[in-house]
Amino acid sequence: TSGDYRYTLQPDGTAAIAKYTGSASELSIPDTLDGHAVTAIGDGAFFFSRFLMSVTIPNSVTFIGDLAFASCDSLTSISIPDSVTTIGDNAFSWCNSLTSVTISDGVIEMDGNPFRGCDNLTQIMVSPDNPVFETIDGVLFNKSEKKLVCYPYAFTQTSYTIPDGIRFIGNGAFVSCRSLTSVTIPDSVTVIGDNAFEYCNSLTNITIPDSVTSIGKNAFDSCNSLTSISIPDGVTSIGKNAFDSCNSLTSISIPDGVTSIGNGAFFSCHSLAGISIPESVTTIGDYAFYFCNSLTSISIPDGVTSIGNGAFDSCNSLTSISIPDGVTDMGNNPFAGCKNLTRIIVSPDHPVFATIDGVLFNKSEKKLVCYPYAFTQTSYTIPDGIRSIGDRAFSSCNVLTSIVIPNSVTSIGNSAFEYCKSLTSISIPNGVTSIGKSAFYFCESLTSITIPDSVTSIGDSAFSWCESLTSITIPDSVTSIGNSAFASCRSLTSVTIPDSVTSIGNSAFAFCRSLTSISIPDSVTSIGDGAFWGCESLASISIPDGVTSIGDEAFSSCKSLTSISIPESVTSIGKYAFAKCSESLTLTVVRNSWAARWCKENGMNYTYTDALDWLKQ
């Protein structure tokens, strides 16, 4: 540390600024720190320095890192010296007060778009002697790569034609250019980079030429006005989230050359009513068509071998779907939350998947994959022989009130019964060893549940928001209670934690407002952040001798808590651990212990465990 700067020494003995901690509005960065020449401004060094209005960089600096001045939204001017050769990706992103930038002839390398999201940037000037970069009509290009680097965000024209000869549209080149309604791409372009047109909210018309072979991730993310698009034949893959949240997109043409549809490629395209997937496609990524509300039907071609997690999740107009024989790999319930899905069609000759009474199973894994959301029966018995209930298998099946799980089941997956809001009873068999995270999340009608002795782990948020759950017994086999495991179980009045448990996770019992008492066993060594936050009825609690740490806000807003005993083993108490508790809260501590010193330093009410020993003498 040197003054307001934290820096790291580089192999050549020069300094790279790691963090600026000052609050100057006009700043001249020093050329040396503790005798070391400053040659680099590291990644995020001035990130979110909102007070900075102007910065002068010394001639010793050659490198400006990624996000170096990102979100400096008061920055109106910056002087970049000729010594700088490299400017990192997003180096000046959301610098909203920056109106003009001058790039010296020394800059020869620029990662991505350093000026992404500078909402008021109207002018980019480049030294005429710069060997690499140049502007044409105010737009920044890389001459050597023939790449469009940055279209200034404050330009007001509604249409733009990219010069013929440009090969690449760089990462984030047009991001947040909200005035543009149309862009003409020449036949010379082969690559549309990541985030290239992200948040171009007014863009209604764009033609992608046949020369393009690659569309990057998030390339057209949140282009809300785009109604249709044709993908050229040369494209072989559609990048991750390429058309995410294109809410007005009603149709799209995917060419025969495409072999994979990336994760979230058409995520939340609410208006997309129909799409034809070509025979060339072999992979449909995770959440590829998530929340495509208007999608009424889709034909999965025979060439597809893999369907990702939640690929058609929440496609609420989808009533039936056919799974071809070629599909051998299927992620977590691809059809979770499809409110009108009543029919899943699988060939009787399918090598991996089968349906029993309309419910989808993985034969080879003996796993229940998907219980159709629109089924109207109120109870269901899982066939004997099934070993696992897959992730999100019954997600949002609101009609079900009871489910019978056979003894053959050993695993209940993540979010398996989440949002089953009518589920009142369920019996977990003795063979189950793990309850996945969010397994019973928001099962608000569930009044009681018995966890068998075979269970060793309860996942994060496993029973969170089970608002009708009044009591629960945790078996001796459980060693840890996950983060938010019982958070917001507002009717839970008591719980017994067995001696086998060694840790209570973050927010494990947060907002259990009816919880009046809890016994923490000697085996527990750590109580996580916010573990009992908002347990308003909890009046007293004893922390066992083995506990060494109490997390941040562990007992915050426990308004009825008047006494708590802190053992000598505790050596760490987090911030606001007892904030907003009763004003009469008194901690009982061991004389000369770490906790006793902590109470003195933090002005807590306390008493000693031996305070009344004199009466016994």
Side-chain angles (χ1 to χ4, degrees), residues 456-540:
T456 58
S457 65
I458 298 173
D460 296 348
S461 303
F463 298 93
S464 181
W465 287 98
C466 290
E467 294 185 311
S468 300
L469 197 63
T470 56
S471 65
I472 195 159
T473 300
I474 300 171
D476 291 338
S477 52
V478 172
T479 58
S480 64
I481 298 173
N483 299 334
S484 303
F486 299 94
S488 297
C489 290
R490 296 179 178 181
S491 300
L492 194 64
T493 56
S494 64
V495 67
T496 301
I497 300 175
D499 289 337
S500 55
V501 171
T502 58
S503 65
I504 299 173
N506 299 339
S507 304
F509 296 92
F511 299 105
C512 290
R513 291 175 177 170
S514 301
L515 193 63
T516 55
S517 65
I518 192 163
S519 177
I520 301 176
D522 291 341
S523 55
V524 170
T525 59
S526 67
I527 298 172
D529 296 346
F532 298 93
W533 185 345
C535 292
E536 297 176 352
S537 302
L538 195 63
S540 65

Coordinates of all heavy atoms in Angstrom, one line a residue, residues 456-540:
T456 N -28.4 -38.6 5.1 CA -27.2 -38.1 5.7 C -27.1 -36.6 5.4 O -26.3 -35.9 6.0 CB -26.0 -38.8 5.2 OG1 -26.0 -38.8 3.7 CG2 -26.0 -40.3 5.6
S457 N -27.8 -36.1 4.3 CA -27.6 -34.7 4.0 C -28.9 -34.1 3.6 O -29.8 -34.7 2.9 CB -26.6 -34.5 2.8 OG -27.1 -35.1 1.7
I458 N -29.2 -32.9 4.1 CA -30.3 -32.1 3.7 C -29.8 -30.9 2.9 O -29.1 -30.0 3.5 CB -31.1 -31.6 5.0 CG1 -31.6 -32.9 5.7 CG2 -32.3 -30.7 4.6 CD1 -32.3 -32.6 7.1
G459 N -30.2 -30.8 1.7 CA -29.7 -29.7 0.8 C -30.1 -28.3 1.1 O -31.1 -28.1 1.9
D460 N -29.4 -27.4 0.5 CA -29.8 -26.0 0.7 C -31.3 -25.7 0.3 O -31.7 -26.2 -0.7 CB -28.9 -25.1 -0.2 CG -27.4 -25.1 0.2 OD1 -27.1 -25.7 1.2 OD2 -26.6 -24.6 -0.6
S461 N -32.0 -25.0 1.1 CA -33.4 -24.6 0.8 C -34.3 -25.8 0.7 O -35.4 -25.6 0.1 CB -33.5 -23.7 -0.4 OG -32.7 -22.5 -0.3
A462 N -33.9 -26.9 1.2 CA -34.7 -28.2 1.0 C -36.2 -28.0 1.4 O -37.1 -28.5 0.7 CB -34.1 -29.3 1.8
F463 N -36.4 -27.3 2.5 CA -37.8 -27.1 3.0 C -38.2 -25.7 3.2 O -39.1 -25.3 3.9 CB -38.0 -27.9 4.4 CG -37.8 -29.3 4.3 CD1 -36.6 -29.9 4.5 CD2 -38.9 -30.2 3.9 CE1 -36.4 -31.3 4.4 CE2 -38.7 -31.6 3.8 CZ -37.5 -32.1 4.1
S464 N -37.4 -24.8 2.5 CA -37.6 -23.4 2.6 C -39.0 -23.0 2.1 O -39.5 -23.6 1.1 CB -36.6 -22.6 1.8 OG -36.7 -21.3 1.8
W465 N -39.7 -22.1 2.9 CA -41.0 -21.6 2.5 C -42.1 -22.7 2.6 O -43.2 -22.6 2.0 CB -41.1 -20.9 1.2 CG -40.4 -19.6 1.1 CD1 -39.2 -19.3 0.7 CD2 -41.0 -18.4 1.6 NE1 -38.9 -18.0 0.9 CE2 -40.0 -17.4 1.4 CE3 -42.2 -18.0 2.1 CZ2 -40.2 -16.0 1.8 CZ3 -42.5 -16.7 2.4 CH2 -41.5 -15.7 2.3
C466 N -41.9 -23.8 3.4 CA -42.9 -24.7 3.8 C -43.7 -24.1 4.9 O -43.4 -24.4 6.1 CB -42.4 -26.1 4.1 SG -41.7 -27.0 2.7
E467 N -44.6 -23.1 4.6 CA -45.2 -22.3 5.6 C -46.1 -23.0 6.6 O -46.4 -22.4 7.7 CB -45.9 -21.1 4.9 CG -45.0 -20.2 4.2 CD -45.7 -19.0 3.6 OE1 -46.8 -19.2 3.0 OE2 -45.3 -17.9 3.8
S468 N -46.6 -24.2 6.2 CA -47.5 -24.9 7.1 C -46.8 -25.9 8.0 O -47.5 -26.6 8.8 CB -48.7 -25.5 6.3 OG -49.4 -24.6 5.6
L469 N -45.5 -26.1 7.8 CA -44.8 -27.1 8.5 C -44.6 -26.7 9.9 O -44.0 -25.7 10.2 CB -43.4 -27.3 7.8 CG -42.6 -28.6 8.2 CD1 -43.3 -29.8 7.7 CD2 -41.2 -28.5 7.5
T470 N -45.2 -27.5 10.9 CA -45.2 -27.1 12.3 C -44.1 -27.8 13.1 O -43.6 -27.2 14.1 CB -46.6 -27.5 12.9 OG1 -46.8 -28.9 12.8 CG2 -47.7 -26.7 12.3
S471 N -43.7 -29.0 12.7 CA -42.6 -29.7 13.4 C -41.8 -30.6 12.5 O -42.4 -31.0 11.4 CB -43.2 -30.5 14.6 OG -44.0 -31.5 14.1
I472 N -40.6 -30.8 12.8 CA -39.8 -31.7 12.0 C -38.8 -32.4 12.9 O -38.2 -31.7 13.9 CB -39.1 -31.0 10.9 CG1 -38.6 -32.0 9.8 CG2 -38.1 -30.0 11.3 CD1 -38.4 -31.3 8.5
T473 N -38.5 -33.6 12.7 CA -37.5 -34.4 13.4 C -36.3 -34.7 12.5 O -36.6 -35.4 11.5 CB -38.0 -35.7 14.1 OG1 -39.1 -35.3 15.0 CG2 -36.9 -36.4 14.8
I474 N -35.2 -34.2 12.8 CA -34.0 -34.5 12.0 C -33.3 -35.7 12.6 O -32.9 -35.7 13.8 CB -33.0 -33.3 12.0 CG1 -33.8 -32.0 11.4 CG2 -31.8 -33.5 11.2 CD1 -33.0 -30.7 11.6
P475 N -33.1 -36.8 11.8 CA -32.5 -38.0 12.3 C -31.0 -37.9 12.6 O -30.3 -37.0 12.2 CB -32.7 -39.0 11.2 CG -32.8 -38.2 10.0 CD -33.4 -36.9 10.3
D476 N -30.5 -38.8 13.4 CA -29.1 -38.8 13.9 C -28.1 -39.0 12.8 O -27.0 -38.7 12.9 CB -28.9 -39.9 14.9 CG -29.6 -39.7 16.2 OD1 -29.9 -38.5 16.5 OD2 -29.9 -40.6 17.0
S477 N -28.6 -39.5 11.6 CA -27.7 -39.8 10.5 C -27.3 -38.5 9.8 O -26.2 -38.5 9.1 CB -28.4 -40.7 9.5 OG -29.7 -40.1 9.1
V478 N -28.0 -37.4 10.0 CA -27.7 -36.1 9.3 C -26.5 -35.4 9.9 O -26.4 -35.3 11.2 CB -28.9 -35.2 9.3 CG1 -28.6 -33.8 8.8 CG2 -30.1 -35.8 8.5
T479 N -25.5 -35.0 9.1 CA -24.3 -34.3 9.6 C -24.3 -32.8 9.4 O -23.6 -32.1 10.1 CB -23.1 -35.0 9.0 OG1 -23.1 -34.8 7.6 CG2 -22.9 -36.4 9.4
S480 N -25.1 -32.4 8.4 CA -25.1 -30.9 8.2 C -26.5 -30.5 7.7 O -27.2 -31.2 7.1 CB -24.1 -30.5 7.1 OG -24.4 -31.1 5.9
I481 N -26.8 -29.3 8.1 CA -28.1 -28.7 7.7 C -27.8 -27.5 6.7 O -27.0 -26.6 7.1 CB -28.9 -28.1 8.9 CG1 -29.2 -29.3 9.9 CG2 -30.1 -27.4 8.5 CD1 -29.8 -28.8 11.2
G482 N -28.2 -27.7 5.5 CA -27.8 -26.8 4.4 C -28.3 -25.4 4.6 O -29.1 -25.0 5.4
N483 N -27.7 -24.5 3.8 CA -28.1 -23.1 3.8 C -29.6 -22.9 3.5 O -30.1 -23.5 2.6 CB -27.3 -22.3 2.7 CG -25.8 -22.3 3.0 OD1 -25.4 -22.5 4.1 ND2 -25.1 -22.2 1.9
S484 N -30.3 -22.1 4.3 CA -31.7 -21.9 4.1 C -32.6 -23.1 4.1 O -33.7 -23.1 3.6 CB -32.0 -21.1 2.8 OG -31.2 -19.9 2.8
A485 N -32.1 -24.2 4.8 CA -32.8 -25.5 4.7 C -34.3 -25.4 5.2 O -35.2 -26.0 4.6 CB -32.1 -26.5 5.5
F486 N -34.5 -24.6 6.2 CA -35.9 -24.4 6.8 C -36.3 -23.0 6.8 O -37.1 -22.6 7.6 CB -35.9 -25.1 8.2 CG -35.6 -26.5 8.2 CD1 -34.4 -27.0 8.5 CD2 -36.6 -27.5 7.9 CE1 -34.1 -28.4 8.5 CE2 -36.4 -28.8 7.9 CZ -35.1 -29.3 8.2
A487 N -35.6 -22.1 6.0 CA -35.9 -20.7 6.0 C -37.4 -20.4 5.7 O -37.9 -21.1 4.8 CB -35.0 -20.0 5.1
S488 N -38.0 -19.5 6.4 CA -39.3 -19.0 6.2 C -40.4 -20.2 6.4 O -41.5 -20.1 5.9 CB -39.5 -18.4 4.8 OG -38.7 -17.3 4.7
C489 N -40.0 -21.2 7.3 CA -41.0 -22.1 7.7 C -41.7 -21.4 8.9 O -41.4 -21.7 10.1 CB -40.4 -23.4 8.2 SG -39.7 -24.4 6.8
R490 N -42.7 -20.6 8.6 CA -43.2 -19.7 9.6 C -44.1 -20.3 10.7 O -44.4 -19.6 11.7 CB -44.0 -18.6 8.8 CG -43.2 -17.7 7.9 CD -43.9 -16.7 7.2 NE -43.0 -15.9 6.3 CZ -43.4 -14.9 5.6 NH1 -44.7 -14.6 5.5 NH2 -42.5 -14.2 4.8
S491 N -44.5 -21.5 10.4 CA -45.4 -22.2 11.5 C -44.5 -23.2 12.3 O -45.1 -23.8 13.3 CB -46.5 -23.0 10.8 OG -47.3 -22.1 10.1
L492 N -43.3 -23.3 12.0 CA -42.4 -24.3 12.7 C -42.2 -23.7 14.2 O -41.6 -22.6 14.3 CB -41.1 -24.4 12.0 CG -40.1 -25.5 12.4 CD1 -40.8 -26.9 12.1 CD2 -38.8 -25.5 11.6
T493 N -42.6 -24.5 15.1 CA -42.5 -24.0 16.5 C -41.3 -24.6 17.3 O -40.8 -24.0 18.2 CB -43.8 -24.4 17.3 OG1 -44.0 -25.8 17.2 CG2 -45.0 -23.6 16.8
S494 N -40.9 -25.9 16.9 CA -39.8 -26.5 17.6 C -39.1 -27.4 16.6 O -39.7 -27.9 15.7 CB -40.3 -27.3 18.8 OG -41.1 -28.4 18.4
V495 N -37.8 -27.6 16.9 CA -37.0 -28.5 16.1 C -35.9 -29.1 16.9 O -35.4 -28.4 17.8 CB -36.4 -27.8 14.8 CG1 -35.4 -26.7 15.2 CG2 -35.8 -28.7 13.8
T496 N -35.6 -30.4 16.7 CA -34.6 -31.0 17.5 C -33.4 -31.3 16.5 O -33.6 -32.0 15.5 CB -35.1 -32.3 18.1 OG1 -36.2 -32.1 19.0 CG2 -34.0 -33.0 18.9
I497 N -32.3 -30.8 16.8 CA -31.1 -31.1 16.0 C -30.3 -32.2 16.7 O -29.9 -32.1 17.9 CB -30.2 -29.8 15.9 CG1 -31.1 -28.6 15.2 CG2 -29.0 -30.0 15.1 CD1 -30.4 -27.3 15.2
P498 N -30.0 -33.2 16.0 CA -29.3 -34.4 16.6 C -27.8 -34.1 16.8 O -27.2 -33.2 16.2 CB -29.5 -35.5 15.6 CG -29.6 -34.8 14.3 CD -30.3 -33.5 14.6
D499 N -27.2 -35.0 17.6 CA -25.8 -34.9 18.0 C -24.8 -35.0 16.8 O -23.7 -34.7 16.8 CB -25.4 -35.9 19.1 CG -26.0 -35.5 20.4 OD1 -26.3 -34.3 20.6 OD2 -26.2 -36.4 21.3
S500 N -25.4 -35.6 15.7 CA -24.5 -35.9 14.6 C -24.2 -34.6 13.8 O -23.2 -34.6 13.0 CB -25.2 -36.9 13.6 OG -26.5 -36.5 13.3
V501 N -25.0 -33.6 13.9 CA -24.9 -32.4 13.1 C -23.7 -31.6 13.6 O -23.5 -31.3 14.8 CB -26.1 -31.5 13.2 CG1 -25.9 -30.1 12.5 CG2 -27.3 -32.2 12.4
T502 N -22.8 -31.2 12.6 CA -21.6 -30.4 13.0 C -21.7 -28.9 12.5 O -21.0 -28.1 13.0 CB -20.3 -31.0 12.4 OG1 -20.5 -31.1 10.9 CG2 -20.1 -32.4 12.9
S503 N -22.6 -28.7 11.6 CA -22.7 -27.3 11.1 C -24.1 -26.9 10.8 O -24.9 -27.8 10.2 CB -21.8 -27.0 9.9 OG -22.2 -27.8 8.8
I504 N -24.5 -25.7 11.1 CA -25.8 -25.2 10.8 C -25.6 -24.1 9.7 O -24.9 -23.1 10.0 CB -26.5 -24.6 12.0 CG1 -26.7 -25.7 13.1 CG2 -27.8 -23.9 11.6 CD1 -27.3 -25.2 14.4
G505 N -26.1 -24.3 8.5 CA -25.8 -23.4 7.4 C -26.3 -22.0 7.5 O -27.1 -21.7 8.3
N506 N -25.9 -21.2 6.5 CA -26.4 -19.8 6.4 C -27.9 -19.8 6.3 O -28.4 -20.5 5.5 CB -25.7 -19.1 5.2 CG -24.2 -19.0 5.3 OD1 -23.6 -19.1 6.4 ND2 -23.6 -18.9 4.2
S507 N -28.5 -18.9 7.1 CA -30.0 -18.7 7.0 C -30.8 -20.0 7.2 O -31.9 -20.1 6.7 CB -30.4 -18.0 5.7 OG -29.7 -16.8 5.5
A508 N -30.2 -21.0 7.9 CA -30.9 -22.3 8.0 C -32.3 -22.2 8.5 O -33.2 -22.9 8.0 CB -30.0 -23.2 8.8
F509 N -32.5 -21.4 9.6 CA -33.8 -21.3 10.2 C -34.3 -19.8 10.1 O -35.1 -19.4 10.9 CB -33.8 -21.7 11.6 CG -33.5 -23.2 11.8 CD1 -32.2 -23.6 11.9 CD2 -34.5 -24.2 11.7 CE1 -31.9 -25.0 12.0 CE2 -34.2 -25.5 11.8 CZ -32.9 -25.9 12.0
A510 N -33.8 -19.0 9.2 CA -34.1 -17.6 9.1 C -35.6 -17.4 8.9 O -36.3 -18.2 8.1 CB -33.4 -17.0 7.9
F511 N -36.2 -16.5 9.6 CA -37.6 -16.1 9.5 C -38.6 -17.3 9.9 O -39.7 -17.3 9.4 CB -38.0 -15.6 8.1 CG -37.2 -14.3 7.7 CD1 -36.1 -14.4 6.8 CD2 -37.5 -13.1 8.4 CE1 -35.4 -13.2 6.5 CE2 -36.8 -12.0 8.0 CZ -35.7 -12.0 7.1
C512 N -38.1 -18.2 10.7 CA -39.0 -19.1 11.3 C -39.6 -18.4 12.5 O -39.2 -18.5 13.7 CB -38.2 -20.4 11.8 SG -37.7 -21.4 10.4
R513 N -40.7 -17.6 12.3 CA -41.2 -16.7 13.2 C -41.9 -17.3 14.4 O -42.1 -16.6 15.4 CB -42.1 -15.7 12.5 CG -41.3 -14.8 11.5 CD -42.2 -13.9 10.7 NE -41.4 -13.0 9.9 CZ -41.9 -12.2 8.9 NH1 -43.2 -12.2 8.7 NH2 -41.1 -11.5 8.2
S514 N -42.3 -18.5 14.3 CA -43.0 -19.2 15.4 C -42.1 -20.0 16.3 O -42.5 -20.6 17.3 CB -44.1 -20.1 14.9 OG -45.1 -19.3 14.1
L515 N -40.8 -20.1 15.9 CA -39.9 -21.0 16.6 C -39.6 -20.4 17.9 O -39.0 -19.3 18.1 CB -38.6 -21.1 15.8 CG -37.6 -22.2 16.2 CD1 -38.1 -23.6 16.0 CD2 -36.3 -22.1 15.3
T516 N -40.0 -21.1 19.0 CA -39.8 -20.6 20.4 C -38.5 -21.1 21.1 O -38.0 -20.5 21.9 CB -41.0 -20.9 21.2 OG1 -41.2 -22.3 21.2 CG2 -42.3 -20.2 20.7
S517 N -38.1 -22.3 20.7 CA -36.9 -22.9 21.3 C -36.2 -23.8 20.3 O -36.8 -24.4 19.4 CB -37.3 -23.7 22.6 OG -38.1 -24.8 22.2
I518 N -34.9 -24.0 20.6 CA -34.2 -24.9 19.8 C -33.0 -25.3 20.6 O -32.4 -24.5 21.3 CB -33.7 -24.2 18.4 CG1 -33.1 -25.3 17.5 CG2 -32.7 -23.1 18.6 CD1 -33.1 -24.8 16.0
S519 N -32.6 -26.6 20.5 CA -31.5 -27.1 21.2 C -30.4 -27.5 20.2 O -30.6 -28.2 19.3 CB -31.9 -28.4 22.0 OG -30.8 -29.0 22.6
I520 N -29.3 -26.8 20.4 CA -28.1 -27.0 19.6 C -27.2 -28.0 20.3 O -26.7 -27.7 21.4 CB -27.4 -25.7 19.3 CG1 -28.3 -24.7 18.6 CG2 -26.1 -25.9 18.4 CD1 -27.7 -23.3 18.4
P521 N -26.9 -29.1 19.6 CA -26.0 -30.1 20.3 C -24.6 -29.8 20.4 O -24.1 -28.9 19.7 CB -26.3 -31.4 19.4 CG -26.5 -30.8 18.1 CD -27.3 -29.5 18.3
D522 N -23.9 -30.5 21.2 CA -22.4 -30.3 21.4 C -21.6 -30.5 20.2 O -20.5 -30.0 20.1 CB -21.9 -31.2 22.6 CG -22.5 -30.8 23.9 OD1 -22.9 -29.6 24.0 OD2 -22.4 -31.6 24.9
S523 N -22.1 -31.3 19.2 CA -21.4 -31.6 18.0 C -21.2 -30.4 17.1 O -20.3 -30.4 16.3 CB -22.1 -32.8 17.3 OG -23.4 -32.4 17.0
V524 N -22.1 -29.4 17.2 CA -22.0 -28.3 16.3 C -20.8 -27.4 16.6 O -20.5 -27.0 17.7 CB -23.3 -27.5 16.4 CG1 -23.2 -26.1 15.6 CG2 -24.5 -28.2 15.9
T525 N -20.1 -27.1 15.5 CA -18.9 -26.2 15.6 C -19.1 -24.9 15.0 O -18.3 -23.9 15.3 CB -17.6 -26.9 15.0 OG1 -17.9 -27.2 13.6 CG2 -17.3 -28.2 15.8
S526 N -20.0 -24.8 14.0 CA -20.2 -23.5 13.4 C -21.7 -23.2 13.1 O -22.5 -24.1 12.8 CB -19.4 -23.4 12.1 OG -20.0 -24.3 11.1
I527 N -22.0 -21.9 13.4 CA -23.4 -21.5 13.1 C -23.3 -20.4 12.0 O -22.6 -19.4 12.2 CB -24.0 -20.9 14.4 CG1 -24.1 -22.0 15.5 CG2 -25.4 -20.3 14.1 CD1 -24.6 -21.4 16.8
G528 N -23.9 -20.6 10.9 CA -23.7 -19.8 9.7 C -24.3 -18.4 9.8 O -25.1 -18.1 10.7
D529 N -24.0 -17.6 8.8 CA -24.5 -16.2 8.7 C -26.1 -16.3 8.6 O -26.7 -17.1 7.9 CB -24.0 -15.6 7.4 CG -22.5 -15.4 7.3 OD1 -21.9 -15.5 8.4 OD2 -22.0 -15.1 6.2
G530 N -26.7 -15.4 9.4 CA -28.1 -15.3 9.4 C -28.9 -16.6 9.8 O -30.1 -16.7 9.4
A531 N -28.2 -17.5 10.5 CA -28.8 -18.8 10.7 C -30.2 -18.8 11.4 O -31.1 -19.5 11.0 CB -27.9 -19.7 11.6
F532 N -30.4 -17.8 12.3 CA -31.7 -17.7 13.0 C -32.2 -16.3 12.8 O -33.0 -15.8 13.7 CB -31.5 -18.0 14.5 CG -31.1 -19.4 14.8 CD1 -29.7 -19.7 14.9 CD2 -32.0 -20.4 14.8 CE1 -29.3 -21.1 15.1 CE2 -31.6 -21.7 15.1 CZ -30.3 -22.1 15.2
W533 N -31.8 -15.6 11.8 CA -32.3 -14.2 11.5 C -33.8 -14.2 11.5 O -34.5 -14.9 10.8 CB -31.7 -13.8 10.2 CG -32.0 -12.4 9.8 CD1 -32.9 -11.5 10.3 CD2 -31.3 -11.7 8.7 NE1 -32.8 -10.3 9.7 CE2 -31.9 -10.4 8.7 CE3 -30.4 -12.0 7.8 CZ2 -31.5 -9.4 7.8 CZ3 -30.0 -11.0 6.9 CH2 -30.5 -9.7 6.9
G534 N -34.4 -13.3 12.2 CA -35.8 -13.0 12.1 C -36.7 -14.0 12.9 O -37.9 -14.1 12.7
C535 N -36.0 -14.9 13.7 CA -36.8 -15.8 14.6 C -37.4 -15.0 15.8 O -36.8 -15.0 16.9 CB -35.9 -17.0 15.0 SG -35.4 -18.1 13.7
E536 N -38.5 -14.3 15.5 CA -39.0 -13.3 16.4 C -39.5 -13.9 17.8 O -39.6 -13.2 18.8 CB -40.2 -12.6 15.8 CG -39.8 -11.8 14.5 CD -40.9 -11.1 13.8 OE1 -42.1 -11.4 14.2 OE2 -40.7 -10.4 12.9
S537 N -39.9 -15.2 17.8 CA -40.4 -15.8 19.0 C -39.3 -16.5 19.9 O -39.6 -17.0 21.0 CB -41.5 -16.8 18.7 OG -42.6 -16.1 18.0
L538 N -38.1 -16.6 19.3 CA -37.0 -17.3 20.0 C -36.6 -16.5 21.3 O -36.1 -15.4 21.1 CB -35.9 -17.5 19.1 CG -34.8 -18.5 19.5 CD1 -35.4 -19.9 19.6 CD2 -33.7 -18.5 18.5
A539 N -36.9 -17.0 22.5 CA -36.6 -16.3 23.7 C -35.2 -16.5 24.3 O -34.6 -15.6 24.9 CB -37.7 -16.6 24.7
S540 N -34.7 -17.8 24.2 CA -33.4 -18.1 24.7 C -32.8 -19.2 24.0 O -33.5 -20.0 23.3 CB -33.5 -18.5 26.2 OG -34.3 -19.7 26.3

